[in-house]
Amino acid sequence: MQYRTLGDLHVSAVGLGAMPLSIEGHPDEARALATVHAALDAGVTLLDTADSYHLPGGAPGHNELLVARALAAYGGDTSDVLVATKGGRGRPADGSWTVTGTPRHLKAAAEGSLKRLGVEAIGLYQLHKPDPAVPFEESVGALRELLDEGKIRLAGASNTDVEQIRVARGILGDRLVSVQNQYSPEVRDSEAELRLCAELGLAFLPWSPLGGISRSSLDGPSGIEGPSRYGAFHEVATERGVSPQQVCLAWLLARSPTVIPIPGATRPETIQDSAGAADLMLGEEELARLDAAAQD
């Protein structure tokens, strides 16, 4: 496993997005725990969760509790594992994703996450999404207060644009360490944010990193969608004797040294395959082919 920098920490170059283990279509607990354990066995040291990763209308924190149980049940050393969680979104019974970014809500959400994860301080706490009804500075100010109180060690922001990243940096300084935006061969709207993260030394955590290669967990069961316009990823995979998903993650890692993709998984074999991307070094010609496919 290769490692990358997140704040003052070194974490695995590929993390695990734990959301699929708790939302619609999630596996039973035994397989979910086995999936997290397989990630740890493969050297993954970044686990991404959120209080809103649960079934519609369910109690907040299902995924956080699952991650905590998986770590407690793991037979090896987990002292270097960073659990990143998020607050500011909800999942009512209709299956929608709400946004609440008031300082009061974020502070209460962080307290709940602390208890569910069973830690004295959350390793990385991220604002899940800016709330258009709340000044962004107020939401980030809540993260600053949580940092000052020692309830979170590092802070990040998700689904943010360039201006918001700069605002958060101005408020949090070096304690802002990550940006988690959607980014994949299929969705490249965050190119400017990726470049800014490289400039500021912030970790960029792409969510749904396999878009165009596999279905997002938000869209239903995962699986190869077919070569389509992203045929180059499948061609390189065949030439290398690996999966298209592994090629996709290796391509993302090559985009910038600040990138740390967090692919989801519902089976041990899936995350083991994803983790292998950290050691898959693509050549210049291969990267050029993949870049061209992703830009078409």
Side-chain angles (χ1 to χ4, degrees):
M1 176 58 69
Q2 304 297 316
Y3 292 84
R4 294 201 162 181
T5 301
L6 194 157
D8 59 355
L9 304 176
H10 292 288
V11 299
S12 56
V14 175
L16 170 65
M19 181 181 73
L21 302 176
S22 292
I23 64 168
E24 295 88 327
H26 68 76
D28 61 31
E29 176 142 336
R31 198 173 90 189
L33 294 178
T35 300
V36 178
H37 290 169
L40 299 174
D41 288 342
V44 172
T45 62
L46 174 63
L47 305 180
D48 178 79
T49 182
D51 60 358
S52 58
Y53 293 166
H54 57 77
L55 292 175
H62 180 279
N63 200 241
E64 293 174 323
L65 290 168
L66 177 67
V67 167
R69 287 195 295 273
L71 290 172
Y74 186 62
D77 181 17
T78 60
S79 60
D80 61 344
V81 175
L82 175 66
V83 176
T85 192
K86 299 178 287 294
R89 303 208 75 175
R91 293 212 72 196
D94 65 4
S96 62
W97 293 82
T98 59
V99 182
T100 308
T102 64
R104 180 177 181 180
H105 174 84
L106 292 173
K107 291 178 185 178
E111 292 283 359
S113 294
L114 270 171
K115 293 176 182 177
R116 288 186 291 268
L117 293 172
V119 294
E120 294 181 1
I122 296 170
L124 171 60
Y125 194 70
Q126 301 181 105
L127 174 65
H128 205 152
K129 186 175 184 178
D131 184 346
V134 177
F136 185 66
E137 293 84 352
E138 293 185 10
S139 297
V140 177
L143 298 185
R144 181 177 59 192
E145 292 183 26
L146 289 166
L147 285 163
D148 292 342
E149 294 167 1
K151 293 179 179 178
I152 67 176
R153 292 195 172 97
L154 300 169
S158 183
N159 301 300
T160 46
D161 60 28
V162 165
E163 181 181 352
Q164 290 165 333
I165 294 170
R166 291 193 183 280
V167 168
R169 177 76 165 196
I171 294 172
L172 301 175
D174 291 341
R175 296 186 293 179
L176 177 74
V177 300
S178 64
V179 171
Q180 184 170 324
N181 282 9
Q182 186 175 17
Y183 190 87
S184 68
E186 187 174 48
V187 179
R188 297 181 63 180
D189 297 340
S190 286
E191 290 285 356
E193 288 76 17
L194 174 57
R195 289 193 296 270
L196 179 59
C197 284
E199 175 189 323
L200 298 178
L202 303 176
F204 185 86
L205 315 179
W207 61 266
S208 287
L210 299 174
I213 311 301
S214 290
R215 289 170 62 84
S216 165
S217 295
L218 295 172
D219 298 324
S222 296
I224 297 174
E225 299 231 338
S228 65
R229 56 180 279 200
Y230 306 107
F233 288 86
H234 297 262
E235 293 164 6
V236 171
T238 298
E239 294 163 7
R240 287 296 197 108
V242 297
S243 70
Q245 289 83 356
Q246 192 174 116
V247 170
C248 177
L249 295 172
W251 170 76
L252 284 167
L253 289 168
R255 299 294 295 163
S256 168
T258 65
V259 169
I260 305 173
I262 46 172
T266 59
R267 297 182 297 117
E269 299 82 3
T270 304
I271 187 56
Q272 288 172 334
D273 180 71
S274 292
D279 295 313
L280 178 62
M281 300 295 111
L282 298 172
E284 291 184 8
E285 185 273 336
E286 291 171 315
L287 290 171
R289 288 163 60 191
L290 300 176
D291 287 344
Q295 291 174 352
D296 286 344

